[in-house]
Amino acid sequence: MTSLLVARQYLKKFYGKFEVYLIPLVKFLLALASFMLINGKLGYMEKIDDTTIVLVAALMCSFMPMNFIVLISAAFILLHVYALSLECAVVMLAAFLLMFLVYFRFSPRDTAVVILTPICFLMNIPYVIPVALGLLCTPVSAVSAACGTAVYYLLGYVTGSATTLATMEAEETTVKFRFIIDGVLDNRAMAVTVAAFTVTIFFIYLIRRLPLDYSWTIAIVAGSLVNVMALLVGDLMFDTNVSISGVIVGTVVAALLGVVIQFFNFHVDYSRTEKVQFEDDEYYYYVKAVPKVTVAAPERKVKKINQQKKTRPSQRSQEDKKVGR
Amino acid sequence: MLNKERVILMTKMASYEENEGRKDRAVMSYFRGDYVWFQVLKSVVYGTIAFGIVFGMYIFYDFEVFMMDIYKMDLLEFGRSILRKYLLAIGIYCIISYAVYSYRYAKARHSVRLYQNNLRKLGGMYDKT
């Protein structure tokens, strides 16, 4: 455990030292992953399905605010979908506009979740999102997770019905439009996932805020169980065809990542908890203080043995004069 | 000689000034009422655009049926029902906006007060030396 704590200290030091370079690098990698996933999953417009364009766009994003990545990702999605069908692009544009106008005006910091959620879905670790948001954010973030989930399922629906859309006649604009809207609104898997994520985020947040010992660990375990239960109950009720083993394995991975988050964010020693009571003119105070577990990172010291003092001949003569030789 | 306590306080203050301080200063440049109502007004504009998008999609979803029914339906009643829905949606959105921005103003005021207290504390530290 001590070596892990030392490693954490090293990481913190490293981050503090190279923060200026690390933040643009992380933004670049996130943008690159996001654009490559979009191109890989959609890829209907060949002009933007190009490594050079992706690299240039990702480089541009690395020096811009986080929200810029979301905007460029939305532009990539819209262009690909436009190449497939105009109606799809209209529905997508409406969905993005509604998200940006109605919700992200309140919490512009949460926009990164909209990118991270589909990325986690594609990496088969979607349940990391509710666990991480429950541990690190407030219940309001459930809306961001819902938006990210909606984007993922919308993209999934578009790619899944690309052949059907391509075979439809050009004149059947309203039919195409209705087909897309119906497909999105009747997506039970999306509704169940959004509901399960929301419940999990609320549950984890509420438990981790309780004044209990090991509240974060309890929150991770209980939240993971609630996630599995919610998804399975949703499957039973709405027949969403969710893979039970996938849900269980994914939730276990999410819980493990939750433990990593806890290690970096809330690592305390409950055995040294102190409870004190005192009073002033207005209040009685019942204080519970839990110390953080920290270790100082050992510093390397290079000790030189038989070090020879190198002096110039001119300095040597001056020193000789001072001594009076 | 470096005063450790003073350096820590100054670092905290500089970090606040760089990050949240900027936003808080912008918020505190308004009176509470002005700030909250300006944000609510913005919400009305954004909400109207969002409602327009949803309404447009609703009409376009069954466009052919709508065009066939348009001659038969009572347009005034249809307009009234749409207006009622619009007012309800905007009303709810404005209430949420009012609550969110009132809370944000109170939070910004609290942070700025803390910052001013720290400034006074720092001034006191300089006076002592």
Side-chain angles (χ1 to χ4, degrees), chain A residues 87 90-91 93-95 97-98 101-103 105-109 173-175 177-179 181-182, chain B residues 20 23 39-40 42-43 46 49-51 53-54 57 60-64 93 96-97 100-101 104:
Chain A
E87 296 77 13
V90 170
V91 175
L93 181 68
L97 277 177
L98 285 177
L101 288 173
V102 178
Y103 175 61
R105 200 170 93 72
F106 291 127
S107 57
R109 280 183 193 174
T173 312
T174 47
V175 180
F177 194 74
R178 209 175 302 147
F179 174 74
I181 299 263
D182 283 342
Chain B
E20 284 170 21
K23 283 177 194 164
Q39 294 303 328
V40 170
K42 270 164 98 178
S43 295
Y46 287 124
I49 297 170
F51 187 84
I53 292 168
V54 175
M57 301 255 290
F60 201 64
Y61 179 78
D62 250 342
F63 193 65
E64 285 151 13
Y93 191 51
I96 295 170
S97 301
V100 169
Y101 288 106
R104 279 195 190 165

Side-chain angles (χ1 to χ4, degrees), chain A residues 38-89:
Chain A
I38 291 168
N39 278 350
K41 197 156 172 66
L42 298 169
Y44 300 116
M45 189 177 264
E46 285 172 7
K47 282 178 191 168
I48 57 167
D49 193 4
D50 182 33
T51 321
T52 322
I53 290 175
V54 167
L55 278 173
V56 170
L59 258 178
M60 216 161 68
C61 288
S62 62
F63 298 102
M64 300 297 272
M66 198 66 168
N67 292 348
F68 194 72
I69 304 176
V70 183
L71 281 179
I72 299 290
S73 301
F76 264 70
I77 291 172
L78 284 174
L79 286 171
H80 277 304
V81 172
Y82 173 73
L84 175 71
S85 132
L86 174 68
E87 296 77 13
C88 258

Side-chain angles (χ1 to χ4, degrees), chain A residues 13-34:
Chain A
K13 255 189 178 179
F14 182 78
Y15 179 76
K17 205 173 173 184
F18 299 105
E19 191 190 355
V20 186
Y21 310 107
L22 281 175
I23 291 174
L25 182 72
V26 169
K27 279 185 192 169
F28 173 75
L29 291 175
L30 185 65
L32 192 70
S34 166

Side-chain angles (χ1 to χ4, degrees), chain A residues 200-244:
Chain A
T200 311
I201 291 170
F202 269 81
F203 206 77
I204 292 179
Y205 176 79
L206 286 177
I207 293 182
R208 85 161 162 89
R209 299 267 298 168
L210 289 175
L212 286 172
D213 285 2
Y214 306 100
S215 58
W216 277 54
T217 314
I218 298 168
I220 292 168
V221 175
S224 302
L225 289 174
V226 165
N227 186 51
V228 173
M229 290 299 287
L231 286 166
L232 294 184
V233 169
D235 183 33
L236 278 176
M237 285 173 73
F238 300 105
D239 199 19
T240 53
N241 294 326
V242 75
S243 148
I244 297 173

Side-chain angles (χ1 to χ4, degrees), chain A residues 130-144:
Chain A
V131 173
L133 289 179
L135 290 175
L136 298 172
C137 303
T138 56
V140 184
S141 305
V143 185
S144 307

